[in-house]
Amino acid sequence: MDIFNETEVFDGVKMTSKQIAGEFEGRSLRAETIIHIGSMLAGEWPESAKDAFSYDWDDVFLDLGLKNEAEVGLEWNEYEEISQFLWDNGKSGFLVQFATPIPENFTARGHSGSWGYYTTKWIYAETYEDACAAAMKWQDEYIEKKRKQQHGEK
């Protein structure tokens, strides 16, 4: 797939990689770590993948839609076994850690936020573009949740 061609991404709108980048910049959203499971975990794991599975084990497995390590009988550092488990469970797409500033000080005009105080979320999708679409949806929901918390809503 040519990532510069148009791709269905967000709310049914076709966007190019350049448009995704512009959308992310306008939203203060970024991809922190991108792991293509099908190619990066087939042999010797890169440090970024080792870090993801060692530091964020439960979140990564949750976002992959899989059981946690205790339920599958794996340890975070059993890389070959994890690779086989992911393959056996049809997970060969993209595992991406997205980040966004934590929204604060909501007003009628919006909110403030800074990259000095941000949160992250692991998202799995078969394509990078689908992961980006899911990240934008996550960010929208996260901001709304924080707005409701500030205003004492449920």
Side-chain angles (χ1 to χ4, degrees), residues 75-138:
E75 296 290 330
W76 66 267
N77 60 352
E78 296 177 324
Y79 304 121
E80 189 174 322
E81 291 84 355
I82 294 169
S83 294
Q84 188 62 50
F85 179 82
L86 294 173
W87 186 258
D88 291 347
N89 284 276
K91 303 297 180 181
S92 59
F94 289 83
L95 179 62
V96 184
Q97 184 182 47
F98 291 96
T100 190
I102 295 174
E104 302 178 293
N105 306 316
F106 286 88
T107 67
R109 292 183 172 175
H111 62 275
S112 62
S114 160
W115 281 110
Y117 182 50
Y118 67 97
T119 188
T120 61
K121 168 84 171 138
W122 285 102
I123 293 176
Y124 173 80
E126 283 300 310
T127 68
Y128 179 70
E129 291 80 4
D130 287 344
C132 290
M136 289 186 268
K137 182 178 179 191
W138 161 72

